[in-house]
Amino acid sequence: MKLIGSYTSPFVRKISVILLEKGITFEFVNEQPYNAINGVAHYNPLGKVPALVTDEGEVWYDSPIIAEYIDLLGIAPAMLPADPKAALKIRQIEALADGIMDAALVSVREQARPVAQQSETELLRQREKINRGLDTLESYINEGALRIDEMNLATIAIACAISYLNFRRVSPGWCVERPQLVKMVENLFQRESFARTEPPKD
């Protein structure tokens, strides 16, 4: 099994963590989706990471699809509950965490532009998305929809999103007044799967 991706992508990290937690052996193929020659497009016509190539040669892309494929292999631990509606709720929270990642990625790309060309309106829009998303996640924990001590597809996605915020210094004050989120990600960051997938320093 091969995972195509970059070491700094939070979406790729999500899949790497799931594979490691399940003890699935895989080869990591480092491909930068923004290179002039985009090797990722060989696996995903959209040229986006991650992509997963199975031992049988099947190719899966888009991190929620890859995560679902991996869970369908039936290898413990399960990343989704057996009950369909409960599983759907976890997938919705995963989508929210993925949206935070998307907003952070847009912010990073915007800030990489020359200062005179940067849009403060766009940066504010993305910050507002991130803040609303984090507030909602905190409320899910307070309401019992998520537990700070559990590991599933949603909590892994949340931890990858927040790690990316830290890594790229996007929304540096995210932890203020969000103590439950802090506890949740601190628990997950102690796991070997997260230690092994920490992005390299610039």
Side-chain angles (χ1 to χ4, degrees):
M1 191 174 290
K2 291 194 294 187
L3 178 60
I4 317 300
S6 69
Y7 291 113
T8 57
S9 165
F11 297 98
V12 174
R13 188 180 192 186
K14 177 173 68 172
I15 301 304
S16 296
V17 167
I18 292 170
L19 289 167
L20 289 169
E21 288 289 344
K22 289 178 176 285
I24 298 174
T25 301
F26 66 99
E27 174 190 354
F28 191 94
V29 180
N30 187 29
E31 287 280 4
Q32 299 298 324
Y34 299 112
N35 282 353
I37 300 174
N38 189 337
V40 180
H42 177 71
Y43 305 97
N44 177 355
L46 300 176
K48 297 171 67 177
V49 294
L52 185 76
V53 183
T54 71
D55 294 338
E56 294 74 34
E58 286 183 302
V59 179
W60 299 93
Y61 48 83
D62 194 51
S63 70
I65 299 295
I66 296 172
E68 184 164 355
Y69 167 77
I70 295 169
D71 225 30
L72 287 173
L73 297 176
I75 299 171
M79 293 294 154
L80 291 167
D83 176 73
K85 190 171 182 181
L88 187 62
K89 184 63 179 179
I90 294 297
R91 297 304 301 269
Q92 184 179 45
I93 298 172
E94 176 203 16
L96 178 56
D98 284 357
I100 292 170
M101 296 183 206
D102 278 327
L105 285 162
V106 171
S107 298
V108 169
R109 287 198 293 269
E110 186 66 28
Q111 289 175 323
R113 290 155 55 91
V115 174
Q117 297 177 21
Q118 291 179 21
S119 169
E120 279 300 321
T121 301
E122 183 62 26
L123 288 169
L124 177 61
R125 181 168 172 263
Q126 301 307 322
R127 281 197 296 271
E128 288 175 344
K129 285 183 184 180
I130 291 168
N131 285 332
R132 288 196 303 267
L134 293 172
D135 285 343
T136 301
L137 293 174
E138 181 78 7
S139 70
Y140 282 151
I141 301 172
N142 287 329
E143 294 163 5
L146 284 171
R147 296 200 317 271
I148 62 173
D149 59 346
E150 68 184 337
M151 185 193 64
N152 56 36
L153 183 54
T155 59
I156 288 172
I158 291 167
C160 289
I162 287 177
S163 175
Y164 189 75
L165 296 180
N166 292 339
F167 176 60
R168 292 301 190 196
R169 300 177 180 86
V170 177
S171 193
W174 72 264
C175 55
V176 176
E177 297 183 356
R178 298 185 182 110
Q180 300 304 322
L181 268 180
V182 172
K183 291 177 185 175
M184 172 181 283
V185 298
E186 282 180 347
N187 285 341
L188 287 167
F189 289 163
Q190 292 174 16
R191 300 186 70 87
E192 183 182 356
S193 58
F194 277 90
R196 289 177 59 183
T197 57
E198 188 172 349
K201 304 296 182 187
D202 289 339

